[in-house]
Amino acid sequence: MKGIRTILALLLLLAPSLLLAQAQGRVKGAVVDTQGKPIADAKVVITCPEIGTYRKELTTDAKGIFVVLIVDATKRYLFHIEAPGYQAVEQLNKPLIGAQTLELTFTLKTLEQVQKEMEQQALEQPGVKEAREGEQLLAEGKRAEARAKFEAAVKAKPDLHVGWFELGRLDLEDGKASAALESAKKCLAIQATFASCLALAANAAKELGDTASYEQYMAAYKMVNPNDPAVLFNEAAALLNKQDDAGARPLLEQALQANPNFAPALFELGMVYVRAGENAKAKELLERLLKVAPDYKDAAMASEMLKYL
């Protein structure tokens, strides 16, 4: 009887370990990119929501594989996978109990892919989508259809400042300065430093003869876009009208530094050089003008002047 009791005692001691062994689970994970290529040296962190102290860290091998033995496979485990240049992923999984292996695949997207997806999602948002379609219609010369899209865009997304800008630009081109100014104001209420809307407001105010508003919008425009060749040219033009070539010259040169092919500055600076007797510089600018802007309003005069340089 003593021998039997000894055997029973040994069985009782072994029972917990046998049960624990039966509850073990093996997990094999593969970490790959979106093309299915393995990602080596990816960091794997395993935690268990039900066991606050559980934490295991692994690294994938050259084939992007990791293998781990989970002692208590009755619970679910959180697998956190990360690698430099990729967006981290997490999955909650429960291992298979016994001799079975749970095989998992973790697909990581590059940060560039994630950024592109986010941009595409933004482009498909209500309002933004219609505005993008409106821009395409404008490029095709379909103004009426484009206007309808921009109107739909600001209706779907009233804070879409570019939508108000496009509507205002169309109104200004159609001679509707008051409507253009109202759209510009709505645009600026959303984005006060949007240079295009400041320019639109200034041009609309000028068409309406509202000098005070024009100067106010232009001052704001110059602050946010001081190197705009058009702004520099306008300042130079005021001096040229007073026969002040010396004052206009540096402004025209700055305008061409901002945009080497800005036709008005090419012509006027070329003529400043002509008057100063700097024929070689004048010839260079006027020839460039005819090359980059052959349809410019003063192209014929530039062509005629070149005959004498």
Side-chain angles (χ1 to χ4, degrees):
M1 290 297 292
K2 184 177 180 182
I4 296 173
R5 284 198 297 270
T6 302
I7 294 171
L8 287 172
L10 289 172
L11 287 174
L12 288 172
L13 289 172
L14 288 172
S17 61
L18 288 171
L19 289 172
L20 193 60
Q22 290 174 354
Q24 289 180 349
R26 188 169 180 269
V27 176
K28 179 180 180 181
V31 182
V32 299
D33 63 16
T34 54
Q35 303 299 315
K37 297 179 181 178
I39 300 176
D41 299 319
K43 183 179 179 181
V44 181
V45 180
I46 308 171
T47 56
C48 180
E50 300 176 53
I51 308 174
T53 58
Y54 183 89
R55 181 181 177 90
K56 186 179 289 289
E57 294 189 10
L58 305 165
T59 302
T60 58
D61 62 17
K63 295 182 179 180
I65 302 296
F66 70 90
V67 178
V68 61
L69 180 67
I70 304 294
V71 175
D72 186 356
T74 64
K75 295 177 173 56
R76 295 193 302 169
Y77 293 81
L78 182 67
F79 291 75
H80 174 93
I81 317 293
E82 60 183 60
Y86 294 87
Q87 183 184 48
V89 298
E90 289 186 343
Q91 287 185 21
L92 195 61
N93 296 284
K94 182 183 178 301
L96 301 175
I97 294 175
Q100 301 180 77
T101 298
L102 176 64
E103 297 191 5
L104 302 170
T105 298
F106 301 88
T107 303
L108 304 188
K109 297 178 182 178
T110 65
L111 296 178
E112 183 180 357
Q113 287 175 316
V114 173
Q115 180 65 28
K116 287 182 178 179
E117 287 181 0
M118 292 175 62
E119 291 174 355
Q120 187 59 40
Q121 289 173 5
L123 290 175
E124 294 301 320
Q125 288 182 356
V128 177
K129 179 176 180 291
E130 288 80 1
R132 188 161 52 87
E133 291 170 348
E135 290 173 358
Q136 181 60 42
L137 289 167
L138 266 186
E140 297 171 2
K142 301 176 181 178
R143 289 171 56 84
E145 294 88 339
R147 175 182 285 279
K149 286 292 183 181
F150 293 130
E151 289 173 347
V154 295
K155 183 177 181 180
K157 189 174 175 59
D159 63 345
L160 187 65
H161 64 282
V162 292
W164 290 114
F165 165 72
E166 293 293 356
L167 285 172
R169 183 159 67 99
L170 288 173
D171 282 331
L172 190 62
E173 291 174 357
D174 292 339
K176 301 175 182 177
S178 294
L181 184 56
E182 286 304 310
S183 290
K185 288 179 178 179
K186 290 178 181 178
C187 171
L188 294 171
I190 302 162
Q191 185 60 267
T193 58
F194 188 46
S196 296
C197 277
L198 286 168
L200 173 64
N203 290 329
K206 187 175 183 180
E207 287 292 321
L208 292 169
D210 187 346
T211 304
S213 293
Y214 168 75
E215 292 178 352
Q216 176 186 348
Y217 288 124
M218 279 306 298
Y221 179 81
K222 290 176 185 178
M223 287 183 64
V224 300
N225 201 9
N227 294 320
D228 183 347
V231 171
L232 296 166
F233 176 79
N234 288 339
E235 293 179 4
L239 295 171
L240 290 173
N241 290 335
K242 300 175 182 178
Q243 287 77 50
D244 184 1
D245 281 7
R249 179 169 175 163
L251 291 170
L252 293 170
E253 289 171 344
Q254 289 177 51
L256 289 179
Q257 286 177 1
N259 182 356
N261 296 328
F262 189 59
L266 284 172
F267 177 76
E268 294 298 345
L269 185 56
M271 298 306 293
V272 167
Y273 286 151
V274 168
R275 292 190 289 272
E278 300 179 46
N279 291 350
K281 289 184 178 179
K283 182 178 180 181
E284 177 187 346
L285 293 186
L286 295 178
E287 285 180 342
R288 192 196 310 170
L289 169 69
L290 295 178
K291 181 179 179 180
V292 300
D295 297 327
Y296 181 62
K297 63 183 182 65
D298 291 320
M301 186 183 297
S303 182
E304 189 66 24
M305 183 59 66
L306 283 170
K307 296 178 181 178
Y308 303 95
L309 295 177

